[in-house]
Amino acid sequence: MKNCMCFILFYCLSLTVQSQDILGQWKTVDDETGAHKCIVDIYEENGKIFGKVIEILEPFDKNTLCQDCEGDKKDKPILGMVIINELEKQDEYYKNGTIFDAENGKEYKCRIKLIEETGKLQVRGYIAFLYLTQYWIRHQ
């Protein structure tokens, strides 16, 4: 009986720790309309954090190409595109990397933080002292 209780306690604690991690799938939310736009898979590679568009939620946008992009992203599908690059963990934030906005083809400095009270992901893009913040919702 004692072993069973220890197992249950360990299992519950591991779920709590896992749910407080930024890794996984997140629904992006349009800051103007509140519409869910796509699902981004946030993953770790070589100690840094990346995010890749794995699903586009609007049916008419599924085959959209990045027409406003420059360089190697020009006219490439947004589906499958890596939009968060090389964030590093610093205290409660992930920062010192970039986020790419496929709607305007621009890249911004990025900072991400998990808001533990709500379970939402605060995603902030910067140009100098100006910034825009979105709150993404965990997908799974």
Side-chain angles (χ1 to χ4, degrees), residues 66-85:
C66 195
Q67 296 174 343
D68 292 331
C69 299
E70 297 177 359
D72 62 341
K73 291 183 176 163
K74 177 79 174 155
D75 295 324
K76 297 288 193 265
I78 294 172
L79 183 62
M81 189 175 285
V82 175
I83 61 169
I84 296 174
N85 286 289

Side-chain angles (χ1 to χ4, degrees), residues 31-96:
D31 47 302
E32 293 178 11
T33 66
H36 297 171
K37 299 181 80 173
C38 67
I39 297 174
V40 175
D41 182 36
I42 296 183
Y43 59 95
E44 184 175 353
E45 187 174 292
N46 297 324
K48 297 195 177 185
I49 300 298
F50 296 83
K52 180 179 187 176
V53 177
I54 61 168
E55 186 176 345
I56 296 177
L57 300 174
E58 291 291 328
F60 59 88
D61 289 340
K62 289 198 184 284
N63 297 316
T64 300
L65 301 178
C66 195
Q67 296 174 343
D68 292 331
C69 299
E70 297 177 359
D72 62 341
K73 291 183 176 163
K74 177 79 174 155
D75 295 324
K76 297 288 193 265
I78 294 172
L79 183 62
M81 189 175 285
V82 175
I83 61 169
I84 296 174
N85 286 289
E86 299 188 345
L87 297 178
E88 300 171 331
K89 175 94 166 125
Q90 291 185 356
D91 299 320
E92 75 251 23
Y93 297 102
Y94 293 82
K95 55 187 187 176
N96 296 331

